[in-house]
Amino acid sequence: MKIPRTPWLLVVAAGFWAAVQLLRLVGFNDYYLFIANLSLVYVILAVSLNLINGIIGQFSLGHMGFAAVGAYVSGSITTLIFKLSPNVAAHYPGFVLALVAGGVAAALVGVAIGFPTLRLKGDYLAIVTLGFGEIIRTVFNNIDAVGGPRGLLGIPKFSTFTVILAFALITVAVIRNIAESAHGRNMIAIRENELAADLVGIDTTGYKVKAFALGAFFAGIGGGLYAHLLQIAHPTQFGFIYSVQVLIMVYAGGVGSLTGSVLAAFALTILTQLLKSGLSSLKSLTGLPIGGDWYMVLYALLLILIMLYRTEGLMGTREAKLMVIPEEDDK
Amino acid sequence: MGSIFNLQQVVNGLQLGSIYALIALGYTMVYGIVRLINFAHGDFYMIGAYTAYGAFFLFNAVLGGSGLPMAAVALVLAMLASGLVALLTNRLAYRPLRYKPKLSSLITAIGVSMLIEYLFSALPFIGPSFRAFPEILPSVPIKLGQNATISTHALIDIGVAAVLMIGLTILVRHTTLGKAMRAVSQDKDAAKLMGIDVEKVIAWTFMIGGAFAGAAGLLAGMTYPRIFPFMGILPGLKAFIAAVLGGIGNIPGAVLGAYIMGVAETFATAYNSLLGEGIAFAILIVVLLVRPRGILGEKHADKI
Amino acid sequence: MSAVLKVTGMSHWFGGLKAVSNFNFEVPEGAIYGLIGPNGSGKTTTFNLITGIYKPTEGKIEFSGGDITGAKPYRIVRKGVARTFQNLRIFGSMSVLDNVRVARQYAPVSSFLASTLRLPSYKAEERARKAEAMNLLDVLHLSGRAKEQAKNLPYGELRRLEIARALATNPSLLLLDEPAAGMNPKEVQDLMALIARVRDEFKVTVFLIEHHMKFVMGLCERIKVLDFGETIAEGVPELVAKDPRVLEAYLGKKGGH
């Protein structure tokens, strides 16, 4: 008789959900809820980027380009439905389908970009993906049908805490299960030594394209949720600097560690908000001119310090227990 | 007008190409020696522009307003400031990571770039908004044949770039430092065994590359008189692409790539502004797919 | 005996430099075949050409009767050509077991979906992969190290790990690139016995490159000697060792270790 393993990931997610519901009763206000939601969106973006940059060891700098595709595609679909009949509750199935459509569109873009570029390595790949990310953004900036430089406005606020949490859970679970499977082993081998991976019979190009597509898919979902949280999809939300922010999360958490990405997504989202509000209250208190971009200065400094003094990030490549699937015969 | 070949566009392209060339040289020299895409290099260019701007307001009264002495002082200060920041960046951020995986340096470089940009943007006496660059030297158009003119600014841009590039060529070919630079770029370990102080050579390379970017910043400020803290990002990327096009690590290649890039961009923009924005990346992608080593780059077999 | 590998008129240039010039040879099935020659004589390039890392400028490479010239490396491996590397290329942060297990690519792997959902078919596959890998580690005396991170192994064990990994691809031809490099005489002795045993137990043909003369002379059944990209002698060790051109070009200069 086999006892099924406890699904710890699900337990933790359910616990988090219940805790937030309870806290809502005792003054966990909308601002805090927004930060929780934003953190979860960044969990999706960081974990999906970690599949590309950490697990299979490529270097993408254009992750927000994929998020933009997801945001615009899903946003266009839901605004259309919403215009036809503005009954929010009835539209959740449509919303989920729109998100998936956005993810699929992002994955297709990922494949289209991946085929010509993935034979490039390291810093070259970084620059080319950066370029593609910017091209995607420029394209949206020039399509009038989605608002051009004004952005796509009037997106319904469908991204509730429960929906975002559910998608974050699915993203983490799927990427973890792949990373912990034979496919994940093949990807890690590619990261460790691409030539040797090739010469044990791994289709390295095929895997890179698949990983890129899968990472782009979840980034597209993340982008869709983001747009339905802020109720707008705007070209500036998906600029290079935001791709770097997600990159910082991946490296701060430990490249190759999904646990690290989840923790860093929460920690850095909260830290950003603290810095912003901390600096602005310090500004009004002391009259010092320290608003605006100072939090980005600190952010940049953080990235440099991580690289100089803790290159492996918070977790290195280690994973928390609940992120590891034990093998059948070792107990 | 109407013809595809247009002398005016060629002149404008060469002018833009001169600025790209000065930036691209720093990229290519640094890449040739430490194999690092110095993401912050575009920001050294921005620092050059702001230093020149500051110099104008500081020395305007002493030097009696605009004119050649003012321009010369601004040029020297811009080169000095950018060169020193480049030197400092190398010492504090890149040198500690020299023997770590290459990507750590690249990410650090992204961090340095962000730090410089947002610091400038956050500092109250600089700020995020655009500033009009003062007219240090007047721009006088000179007729070139029937329907093209060349401005004195264009002559200065092309001239300063040419002088600096000739200086660099002499330095690399005929001085001890230049020989050491070539040795280090070919084989760091062998150079070390030959008694070359590798770190010193790297430091000089950053300094010279930074100073060239600073000069480009001044020229760009004079030519396209609008400066802001993030002005280095796009020209930096385009100059990098120019260096890749010419063959990264190859000095004449960077210059060649930069002029091709300048002319291509000018023509593309005249045709369609969206195309002008995208042409650089299109060039990059084509080069990397068709001839990744660039026009003048050398092919070398990987050790397996 | 038929030839498992047949190379005809193979040449390769790097830019203007000719690394391999008009190579012709046949590796007989089941043999231990040695390729010797000084540094820069084109030995590793030959392996890189056979395994598809480079595409030959000229010539033809046939494996088990099929043309593999210019095929993609991973396809060549799946047809049954495995190799080790002169400078070790292990998957450092992976466990010893995973290093071997990851090389079982000849059998189909479940889809992403089946793997993500951990369907029974996937689990059965994983069991097979693991059992096979453990068996290989046993043969190469590495089973005690299965859980360790590969990069923590000493040099000699890493060399054996590379052989185990190559065998996990289920090859019929095993290419060994300087397997005895950096080993002491005792280790070299053990390695010779191991290679002979591997050949018999796994029914593979062994094709190796080596500097180490005693090793090659003692182990190989057939030898080809290169100098500056050209073949100067070929045959059984006893005859090759007496060939005046070999003595002059190779042993004479290098002193024969």
Side-chain angles (χ1 to χ4, degrees):
Chain A
M1 173 77 199
K2 261 204 202 160
I3 306 161
R5 227 162 37 82
T6 321
W8 282 113
L9 213 53
L10 188 63
V11 172
V12 170
F16 184 59
W17 185 86
V20 167
Q21 301 307 324
L22 282 176
L23 284 170
R24 287 292 277 170
L25 300 174
V26 291
F28 194 73
N29 62 28
D30 283 354
Y31 174 64
Y32 292 140
L33 190 66
F34 173 75
I35 294 175
N37 285 333
L38 197 61
S39 303
L40 287 168
V41 169
Y42 273 113
V43 164
I44 296 175
L45 293 171
V47 168
S48 58
L49 182 63
N50 204 342
L51 178 71
I52 299 171
N53 286 30
I55 308 292
I56 197 165
Q58 303 303 299
F59 195 91
S60 171
L61 259 184
H63 209 52
M64 274 298 181
F66 300 132
V69 173
Y72 273 98
V73 169
S74 64
S76 304
I77 296 174
T78 52
T79 34
L80 195 68
I81 306 177
F82 197 60
K83 261 184 211 149
L84 294 177
S85 86
N87 175 2
V88 175
H91 292 317
Y92 271 96
F95 172 47
V96 171
L97 285 179
L99 284 177
V100 172
V104 170
L108 291 176
V109 173
V111 171
I113 293 173
F115 265 115
T117 53
L118 282 170
R119 61 190 192 126
L120 304 171
K121 295 197 168 52
D123 40 12
Y124 273 106
L125 182 64
I127 298 283
V128 176
T129 49
L130 187 168
F132 272 118
E134 290 298 289
I135 287 173
I136 292 173
R137 209 167 63 87
T138 312
V139 167
F140 284 122
N141 203 27
N142 283 282
I143 300 180
D144 272 338
V146 292
R150 281 168 290 117
L152 181 61
L153 301 164
I155 298 177
K157 192 172 167 52
F158 283 167
S159 289
T160 61
F161 173 67
T162 309
V163 173
I164 300 178
L165 179 64
F167 272 103
L169 176 67
I170 293 171
T171 306
V172 173
V174 167
I175 292 181
R176 175 205 58 178
N177 279 19
I178 287 174
E180 290 269 310
S181 76
H183 292 293
R185 229 162 21 226
N186 293 346
M187 292 183 192
I188 293 170
I190 293 170
R191 171 187 83 197
E192 293 291 303
N193 196 318
E194 190 174 333
L195 189 83
D198 221 340
L199 287 170
V200 296
I202 297 171
D203 176 7
T204 51
T205 312
Y207 266 106
K208 284 192 220 167
V209 172
K210 282 178 199 160
F212 219 62
L214 200 66
F217 173 79
F218 284 112
I221 300 257
L225 288 165
Y226 190 52
H228 289 83
L229 179 66
L230 301 180
Q231 296 183 267
I232 182 176
H234 193 275
T236 54
Q237 290 167 338
F238 303 101
F240 165 62
I241 205 75
Y242 297 99
S243 292
V244 173
Q245 281 200 1
V246 180
L247 189 80
I248 294 174
M249 289 171 182
V250 170
Y251 277 83
V255 63
S257 167
L258 300 177
T259 316
S261 293
V262 173
L263 294 177
F266 272 97
L268 290 179
T269 310
I270 294 167
L271 181 71
T272 307
Q273 299 300 328
L274 284 179
L275 282 176
K276 270 189 191 170
S277 61
L279 285 173
S280 70
S281 54
L282 202 64
K283 183 185 180 181
S284 58
L285 215 66
T286 60
L288 288 172
I290 43 173
D293 289 331
W294 277 105
Y295 85 95
M296 285 302 288
V297 175
L298 296 172
Y299 223 88
L301 213 55
L302 176 73
L303 177 64
I304 298 170
L305 291 176
I306 289 171
M307 283 297 131
L308 287 179
Y309 298 106
R310 205 175 160 85
T311 316
E312 74 280 13
L314 183 70
M315 300 289 292
T317 53
R318 282 171 299 140
E319 296 286 1
K321 265 257 169 62
L322 74 153
M323 294 294 280
V324 180
I325 302 169
E327 293 193 30
E328 286 184 333
D329 52 343
D330 40 61
K331 288 278 142 66
Chain B
M1 292 285 202
S3 87
I4 294 179
F5 181 80
N6 180 326
L7 185 61
Q8 187 63 58
Q9 302 294 9
V10 175
V11 170
N12 295 348
L14 291 179
Q15 184 180 9
L16 183 61
S18 298
I19 290 168
Y20 286 159
L22 288 177
I23 312 174
L25 280 168
Y27 265 122
T28 228
M29 285 161 61
V30 165
Y31 192 90
I33 286 193
V34 287
R35 301 277 179 275
L36 164 72
I37 298 177
N38 180 16
F39 237 85
H41 193 66
D43 303 308
F44 302 157
Y45 156 90
M46 178 271 287
I47 289 172
Y50 271 93
T51 308
Y53 177 90
F56 180 81
F57 287 102
L58 277 179
F59 298 111
N60 200 7
V62 191
L63 294 171
S66 308
L68 273 178
M70 184 66 243
V73 167
L75 179 66
V76 169
L77 287 179
M79 290 181 73
L80 214 58
S82 297
L84 285 176
V85 173
L87 190 70
L88 210 65
T89 305
N90 170 56
R91 184 64 193 83
L92 297 179
Y94 303 152
R95 188 172 160 179
L97 292 169
R98 198 80 78 213
Y99 298 97
K100 292 268 181 71
K102 210 165 80 174
L103 282 180
S104 318
S105 308
L106 181 71
I107 297 164
T108 308
I110 295 173
V112 171
S113 173
M114 270 172 76
L115 181 69
I116 296 175
E117 286 159 14
Y118 282 98
L119 191 66
F120 271 65
S121 167
L123 285 171
F125 54 92
I126 297 175
S129 42
F130 293 107
R131 278 165 194 264
F133 198 82
E135 193 177 63
I136 295 179
L137 289 173
S139 180
V140 185
I142 300 166
K143 243 184 160 1
L144 269 185
Q146 285 228 314
N147 42 23
T149 58
I150 184 163
S151 67
T152 41
H153 275 171
L155 285 174
I156 292 167
D157 292 345
I158 297 169
V160 170
V163 168
L164 287 175
M165 288 186 291
I166 292 168
L168 181 68
T169 311
I170 295 171
L171 178 107
V172 171
R173 289 225 183 120
H174 302 293
T175 65
T176 322
L177 175 64
K179 282 174 195 156
M181 282 164 80
R182 279 184 291 158
V184 173
S185 78
Q186 286 196 356
D187 191 331
K188 235 192 270 182
D189 297 327
K192 205 175 279 173
L193 291 175
M194 299 300 290
I196 294 173
D197 184 346
V198 172
E199 281 303 334
K200 200 167 140 191
V201 173
I202 294 174
W204 272 106
T205 308
F206 268 93
M207 173 111 176
I208 295 167
F212 274 47
L218 162 77
L219 297 178
M222 279 170 39
T223 313
Y224 317 101
R226 206 177 66 148
I227 62 174
F228 64 107
F230 300 92
M231 67 184 273
I233 298 178
L234 269 183
L237 268 174
K238 288 173 184 167
F240 166 74
I241 294 168
V244 172
L245 171 64
I248 193 145
N250 183 307
I251 289 179
V255 176
L256 178 67
Y259 281 109
I260 295 175
M261 178 72 92
V263 173
E265 189 182 323
T266 312
F267 273 91
T269 310
Y271 187 74
N272 173 309
S273 69
L274 187 60
L275 188 68
E277 276 179 63
I279 187 89
F281 287 109
I283 290 179
L284 174 67
I285 288 155
V286 171
V287 172
L288 291 177
L289 295 180
V290 177
R291 197 181 161 89
R293 66 189 142 119
I295 300 172
L296 300 181
E298 286 156 34
K299 188 182 186 179
H300 36 107
D302 293 329
K303 277 238 177 278
I304 292 161
Chain C
M1 267 194 297
S2 62
V4 63
L5 181 73
K6 187 175 172 196
V7 172
T8 342
M10 182 175 77
S11 299
H12 189 68
W13 284 269
F14 289 115
L17 188 80
K18 204 168 195 177
V20 166
S21 158
N22 192 26
F23 269 19
N24 294 286
F25 60 90
E26 290 185 12
V27 177
E29 194 170 345
I32 298 182
Y33 186 91
L35 183 64
I36 56 177
N39 274 332
S41 59
K43 298 188 306 290
T44 296
T45 306
T46 302
F47 272 18
N48 289 342
L49 289 165
I50 295 169
T51 50
I53 296 172
Y54 302 147
K55 206 179 154 135
T57 320
E58 275 169 15
K60 193 173 175 188
I61 307 167
E62 286 164 278
F63 171 69
S64 297
D67 189 353
I68 57 164
T69 320
K72 288 196 170 133
Y74 79 95
R75 292 202 186 277
I76 295 176
V77 178
R78 290 185 190 183
K79 281 183 202 290
V81 182
R83 78 173 279 185
T84 64
F85 299 90
Q86 185 183 340
N87 316 314
L88 293 165
R89 284 180 174 269
I90 48 142
F91 305 127
S93 76
M94 293 168 75
S95 73
V96 168
L97 172 64
D98 279 352
N99 263 270
V100 178
R101 171 149 77 151
V102 79
R104 191 184 189 261
Q105 298 287 338
Y106 61 94
V109 184
S110 296
S111 68
F112 269 59
L113 191 64
S115 312
T116 305
L117 298 176
R118 296 289 193 278
L119 296 183
S121 62
Y122 170 80
K123 288 187 176 168
E125 247 175 55
E126 273 292 90
R127 274 194 291 274
R129 263 193 286 273
K130 189 169 183 182
E132 230 178 76
M134 285 309 292
N135 180 38
L136 277 168
L137 289 179
D138 250 356
V139 174
L140 287 141
H141 314 298
L142 286 167
S143 40
R145 300 281 204 181
K147 299 264 149 167
E148 268 177 68
Q149 256 199 343
K151 65 180 166 209
N152 297 334
L153 261 56
Y155 184 78
E157 291 187 348
L158 287 176
R159 288 231 162 258
R160 292 214 300 276
L161 176 59
E162 270 212 342
I163 296 176
R165 187 178 69 183
L167 287 171
T169 66
N170 195 27
S172 46
L173 175 65
L174 179 61
L175 309 179
L176 302 175
D177 195 346
E178 302 206 10
M183 287 190 168
N184 64 36
K186 165 81 173 64
E187 286 172 325
V188 171
Q189 277 300 321
D190 293 346
L191 184 67
M192 285 168 77
L194 180 74
I195 291 174
R197 190 179 146 209
V198 160
R199 188 259 307 260
D200 297 339
E201 213 164 292
F202 294 88
K203 308 263 179 298
V204 290
T205 306
V206 176
F207 178 8
L208 58 89
I209 296 173
E210 208 21 277
H211 271 321
H212 202 292
M213 281 308 280
K214 263 191 207 150
F215 181 85
V216 178
M217 291 294 175
L219 182 64
C220 295
E221 289 140 6
R222 212 176 158 76
I223 297 175
K224 181 182 176 70
V225 187
L226 295 180
D227 197 23
F228 294 107
E230 313 239 0
T231 308
I232 56 171
E234 181 161 12
V236 294
E238 296 75 23
L239 289 177
V240 168
K242 286 178 197 147
D243 190 301
R245 287 174 70 193
V246 175
L247 291 172
E248 189 213 346
Y250 189 64
L251 302 178
K253 281 181 219 157
K254 302 279 287 186
H257 290 268

